[in-house]
Amino acid sequence: MSGAALGIEIVVVFFLALFLLHQYGDFRKQQRMVLFGTLLAWYLCFLIVFILPLDVSTVSSNGDVTSPIPETVSVSVPPVGDPWSYIPDGIMPVFWRVVYWTSQCLTWLLLPFMQSYARSGGFSITGKIKTALIENAIYYGTYLLIFGSLLIYVAVHPEWHLSWYELQTIGITAANTWGLFLLVLLLGYGLVEIPRSYWNASRHGHLLIKTYFKASKLMTEKADAEENLEDVMEEVRKVSESIKYNHPLRKYIDTILRKCPVDYQEKMGRNMDDYEDFDDKQNTYPSEKSLVKLHKQVIYAVQRHNRTRVQWQILLQQAIHLEDVAKNETSSTHQFVHSFPSSEPAGWFSRYIYTPTVEWYWECFLKRWFYRLLSVVLTLFSVAVVWSECTFFSTRPVLSLFAVFIQLAERDYNYLYIEMACFITIFFLCTCVYSTVFRIRVFNYYYLASHHQTDAYSLQFSGMLFCRLTPPLCLNFLGLIHMDSAISHQQKEQTAYTSIMGSMRVLSFIANGFYIYYPILIVILCIATYFSLGTRCLNLLGFQQFVGDSEMTSDLIDEGKELIRREKRKRQRIEDGENRRREWKERYGNQREDYTARNRSSHEMKETSYSDTVPPKAKYSRAGSRAERDCIELLQDAEPLDFNADSLTDDPLDAESGRHAGGRYLSMSSSRSRIFDDV
């Protein structure tokens, strides 16, 4: 089985990253370059998380136990074979070297450039590259300044001599220092917010009120997005009408129009006269630079409008479902009843397994207790992480809980337990950090929205964050279990991942100071998150946040409740109308078809008998008596006909039966041969 576990996890992690990218990105509309860069960044980060437990178990199988055994005690170690996931020597160092440096090239070089390139409004590849280089000049300069400061610190130190190894270590240390700074901030938030979110999810009333609050905020954002889109489309219309078909800039206008919604494209196409030539002397035309700016505004406005529209539909479904749960909680039949039945036909799972009775017990009873139990388990994990982050530098005695668990498993040579303990621990840490990345919203510039509504800029920004956070997260995890000698100061075999990082002792003030004492700030961040200090500060600054004791929150909750009620009435009217049409069709559809068939057959019989009995010359005469025709003309407000006309075929009632008869005069019913008599 050597290497089999590594190969299986490589394949599984790829499909996991592909699935997440499918949930947030849009494979049909977004650029292939954006999707490939984001997929590669996510895949490499997830790969580090999943493969690191195998690296730990491989090192543990070498029999190098952390806690030394006293010399006076004679212990016979039973012969133990390699773990089932043992990876042969020489594979892991090469693997980590490729994964780490590829991810670092992505986050520091390629992804920032691709991010600016994808968001640029340029119409050519050269223009987009130029814009990307200009936007990233300040970005690259900032990090070169940090690297240069560390380089000067090492250069002036009298005991050190710079070499390629030291330069490589300085670069890794600079990247990990920046990542650890951000990691502690995100981890301190996630350790509290994730258990609390599941606890709040068990409170249906609290969750419904918060959904009303979100609905009010989202409707404001949706209205703002629609207004912004209309303003941008109005500007596009003006530019499109000013630049005609044979203008040199017309190709740029066509590119912009293709990015507009379909209804706006049709409206602009009807109001545009492409056969009118342009005149440089009379009109002023926009420059190419202004069209690039307009192109960028169109992309942003359309994407934001589509995102808010989809999010509103999803939030509406959630609010209706929560209201249904609140109504069904008092049901005596224990049958879950939906306000709006699903339009899709029920599958075998809904018919045989997830029946209305099972759904009632899950939604109204079991789900609540499941979320509470999960919240308690996650809270215990969070407490263990906070305790270990504050004590992992103590090796004698060992205070880190995760280090104690791993060392006990090493003594018993229980490699499967080592892998499971490492995987669960690092998976929980990554969940706390990555979920915070998915929840962060920096105004409208960075926002990860599910259901394929994330823009290219946010996708690539998330890839950059993952690549910067994962290496320091893994080093922090190795420090928690005392597998990093630079922190634990123990002489033992290092993991292959640690060997790639280099010796942090090159920069002792970071290895012995920042890496050890900075994670203790997690305690302060957890306390601030528990009391919602950040949320209250944002609320005071004017950014409405969900705060239970705020008057503004209560007003937004009432507004959201009214919006949901209004949408439900609208949906109910639509559903009632469809039901009435369906019932009318089922009740009278067959009768109407039979009646139509009988009329058609009788009409054909009348025509046949009429053509057999009436002479050929009579087919040009009027049907019915003159008195009946006069009555019809008076009812239709038509002028009296001139029956002295030469021809009877120019009857307005026969010629244009669907046209309004008012305003027709006698001269219009005269013969065609006398059309120029008045000239």
Side-chain angles (χ1 to χ4, degrees):
M1 293 293 292
S2 63
L6 179 62
I8 293 173
E9 292 195 359
I10 288 175
V11 176
V12 171
V13 170
F14 174 77
F15 285 104
L16 175 62
L18 188 65
F19 172 76
L20 288 177
L21 182 61
H22 174 70
Q23 292 295 316
Y24 288 89
D26 193 342
F27 289 168
R28 294 177 298 177
K29 297 181 180 180
Q30 288 175 337
Q31 301 177 3
R32 297 295 181 266
M33 179 185 65
V34 173
L35 297 174
F36 176 76
T38 306
L39 177 62
L40 184 60
W42 289 11
Y43 174 60
L44 293 177
C45 295
F46 296 161
L47 202 60
I48 296 175
V49 172
F50 278 77
I51 302 299
L52 189 60
L54 301 182
D55 194 0
V56 174
S57 65
T58 301
V59 173
S60 300
S61 65
N62 295 329
D64 193 1
V65 183
T66 303
S67 297
I69 301 174
E71 297 179 356
T72 58
V73 180
S74 175
V75 179
S76 60
V77 180
V80 179
D82 295 333
W84 71 278
S85 59
Y86 179 79
I87 300 174
D89 296 337
I91 294 180
M92 290 305 298
V94 177
F95 176 81
W96 287 130
R97 194 172 286 112
V98 172
V99 170
Y100 177 79
W101 289 111
T102 304
S103 63
Q104 294 306 302
C105 289
L106 281 173
T107 186
W108 299 107
L109 296 177
L110 296 180
L111 285 179
F113 178 82
M114 294 166 60
Q115 191 179 25
S116 301
Y117 182 90
R119 194 164 185 171
S120 173
F123 299 100
S124 62
I125 298 177
T126 305
K128 291 183 178 181
I129 292 176
K130 182 180 178 181
T131 303
L133 291 176
I134 295 174
E135 289 183 356
N136 286 276
I138 302 176
Y139 173 82
Y140 292 133
T142 303
Y143 293 109
L144 286 177
L145 179 62
I146 298 175
F147 179 78
S149 301
L150 296 175
L151 188 63
I152 294 174
Y153 172 80
V154 176
V156 299
H157 202 282
E159 299 179 358
W160 293 338
H161 301 283
L162 289 179
S163 63
W164 172 249
Y165 179 77
E166 278 79 12
L167 290 176
Q168 176 180 326
T169 305
I170 291 173
I172 294 174
T173 305
N176 290 337
T177 302
W178 167 251
L180 184 63
F181 176 79
L182 187 61
L183 173 67
V184 172
L185 296 177
L186 300 180
L187 188 60
Y189 176 82
L191 288 173
V192 176
E193 191 60 30
I194 289 181
R196 184 164 58 184
S197 64
Y198 281 103
W199 182 266
N200 291 332
S202 65
R203 302 161 56 195
H204 291 159
H206 177 272
L207 197 59
L208 182 58
I209 292 175
K210 192 171 183 180
T211 305
Y212 289 149
F213 177 82
K214 291 180 180 179
S216 178
K217 287 188 61 177
L218 185 59
M219 178 54 71
T220 303
E221 183 182 356
K222 183 173 178 289
D224 184 59
E226 292 175 353
E227 183 179 356
N228 184 31
L229 180 64
E230 292 178 358
D231 294 340
V232 174
M233 291 299 104
E234 179 65 20
E235 188 174 354
V236 171
R237 184 190 63 81
K238 293 179 181 179
V239 174
S240 178
E241 291 179 354
S242 63
I243 299 180
K244 301 304 178 181
Y245 75 101
N246 54 353
H247 195 279
L249 297 177
R250 185 62 200 182
K251 57 182 180 180
Y252 301 147
I253 299 298
D254 295 336
T255 303
I256 295 175
L257 290 176
R258 284 193 293 268
K259 303 294 178 61
C260 299
V262 178
D263 51 348
Y264 285 97
Q265 293 182 22
E266 295 176 353
K267 187 184 300 183
M268 295 177 189
R270 290 193 300 266
N271 298 331
M272 186 175 60
D273 186 9
D274 280 345
Y275 296 98
E276 181 180 354
D277 295 339
F278 72 93
D279 188 1
D280 291 334
K281 298 180 180 179
Q282 297 180 359
N283 298 327
T284 58
Y285 300 99
S287 62
E288 183 178 351
K289 185 177 180 181
S290 61
L291 291 179
V292 169
K293 183 179 179 181
L294 180 61
H295 187 203
K296 187 175 180 179
Q297 292 176 351
V298 168
I299 295 174
Y300 171 75
V302 172
Q303 197 279 331
R304 185 186 175 195
H305 175 262
N306 294 334
R307 185 189 68 211
T308 53
R309 180 174 52 84
V310 173
Q311 286 180 332
W312 173 252
Q313 296 298 327
I314 296 172
L315 189 63
L316 179 63
Q317 288 292 117
Q318 294 176 357
I320 293 175
H321 176 72
L322 291 174
E323 289 181 349
D324 291 342
V325 172
K327 293 178 181 178
N328 284 273
E329 283 181 347
T330 58
S331 175
S332 59
T333 60
H334 294 179
Q335 297 279 334
F336 197 90
V337 180
H338 295 272
S339 300
F340 302 97
S342 177
S343 58
E344 300 179 358
W348 66 270
F349 182 77
S350 300
R351 290 197 302 266
Y352 301 107
I353 299 178
Y354 198 63
T355 60
T357 303
V358 176
E359 185 178 4
W360 186 90
Y361 278 103
W362 169 250
E363 293 290 345
C364 301
F365 183 72
L366 296 177
K367 188 177 181 180
R368 175 184 306 173
W369 292 103
F370 173 76
Y371 279 164
R372 289 180 179 178
L373 179 61
L374 183 59
S375 176
V376 171
V377 173
L378 294 176
T379 302
L380 295 178
F381 264 99
S382 297
V383 172
V385 169
V386 173
W387 171 263
S388 300
E389 290 286 355
C390 297
T391 60
F392 72 93
F393 53 87
S394 176
T395 57
R396 293 184 182 179
V398 179
L399 298 178
S400 175
L401 298 179
F402 300 106
V404 172
F405 296 152
I406 297 300
Q407 290 178 14
L408 290 176
E410 284 180 341
R411 293 175 183 176
D412 296 335
Y413 297 95
N414 193 342
Y415 303 121
L416 181 60
Y417 175 82
I418 293 175
E419 293 174 6
M420 294 302 298
C422 291
F423 177 75
I424 293 175
T425 304
I426 196 172
F427 183 77
F428 177 72
L429 294 175
C430 291
T431 302
C432 294
V433 175
Y434 292 166
S435 63
T436 308
V437 173
F438 280 96
R439 293 184 183 185
I440 289 177
R441 180 174 182 179
V442 184
F443 299 103
N444 287 316
Y445 294 100
Y446 172 72
Y447 184 31
L448 288 175
S450 57
H451 297 83
H452 322 290
Q453 299 303 315
T454 306
D455 58 350
Y457 184 90
S458 299
L459 283 176
Q460 293 184 329
F461 190 78
S462 67
M464 292 166 53
L465 286 179
F466 284 173
C467 290
R468 295 176 189 177
L469 291 171
T470 304
L473 175 64
C474 294
L475 280 180
N476 182 258
F477 165 73
L478 293 175
L480 293 179
I481 62 175
H482 293 177
M483 283 284 186
D484 189 0
S485 61
I487 298 175
S488 62
H489 302 286
Q490 294 178 347
Q491 298 297 328
K492 62 174 296 183
E493 184 179 354
Q494 299 294 301
T495 60
Y497 185 81
T498 309
S499 63
I500 299 302
M501 296 294 105
S503 178
M504 295 301 173
R505 296 187 181 92
V506 176
L507 300 175
S508 59
F509 74 97
I510 292 180
N512 299 328
F514 184 77
Y515 278 5
I516 293 178
Y517 298 107
Y518 179 70
I520 300 178
L521 292 177
I522 287 181
V523 179
I524 300 176
L525 294 172
C526 289
I527 295 174
T529 305
Y530 179 79
F531 291 103
S532 303
L533 296 182
T535 301
R536 297 180 185 275
C537 291
L538 291 175
N539 199 37
L540 291 176
L541 294 176
F543 301 97
Q544 288 82 12
Q545 302 294 318
F546 185 76
V547 181
D549 54 355
S550 174
E551 183 178 356
M552 179 63 69
T553 301
S554 301
D555 295 339
L556 292 177
I557 290 173
D558 295 338
E559 182 181 352
K561 189 175 182 179
E562 182 62 31
L563 290 173
I564 298 298
R565 187 183 295 112
R566 187 184 308 167
E567 292 292 334
K568 288 181 65 177
R569 288 198 300 265
K570 185 187 300 184
R571 181 175 293 188
Q572 187 66 45
R573 287 195 299 268
I574 295 174
E575 186 174 350
D576 292 342
E578 293 178 354
N579 292 334
R580 285 194 298 268
R581 284 192 294 269
R582 190 182 302 109
E583 292 176 359
W584 179 270
K585 186 176 181 180
E586 292 176 356
R587 180 179 300 179
Y588 300 104
N590 297 330
Q591 299 179 6
R592 184 177 180 181
E593 292 177 359
D594 297 339
Y595 179 75
T596 305
R598 288 197 301 269
N599 286 344
R600 187 182 299 110
S601 61
S602 62
H603 181 69
E604 292 176 355
M605 293 176 62
K606 287 180 180 180
E607 287 184 351
T608 303
S609 61
Y610 184 79
S611 60
D612 293 339
T613 56
V614 178
K617 64 179 181 179
K619 65 181 180 179
Y620 296 102
S621 62
R622 292 183 178 89
S625 62
R626 179 172 297 180
E628 294 177 355
R629 297 299 304 271
D630 291 341
C631 292
I632 295 174
E633 292 167 359
L634 290 174
L635 290 174
Q636 295 183 355
D637 294 332
E639 292 292 333
L641 298 177
D642 185 8
F643 292 103
N644 295 324
D646 295 341
S647 177
L648 299 178
T649 58
D650 296 329
D651 188 0
L653 295 176
D654 292 337
E656 296 185 5
S657 59
R659 186 178 59 190
H660 182 64
R664 297 295 178 182
Y665 295 95
L666 296 176
S667 60
M668 297 186 66
S669 61
S670 60
S671 175
R672 293 179 182 269
S673 60
R674 300 172 58 186
I675 192 170
F676 295 108
D677 289 353
D678 296 335
V679 177

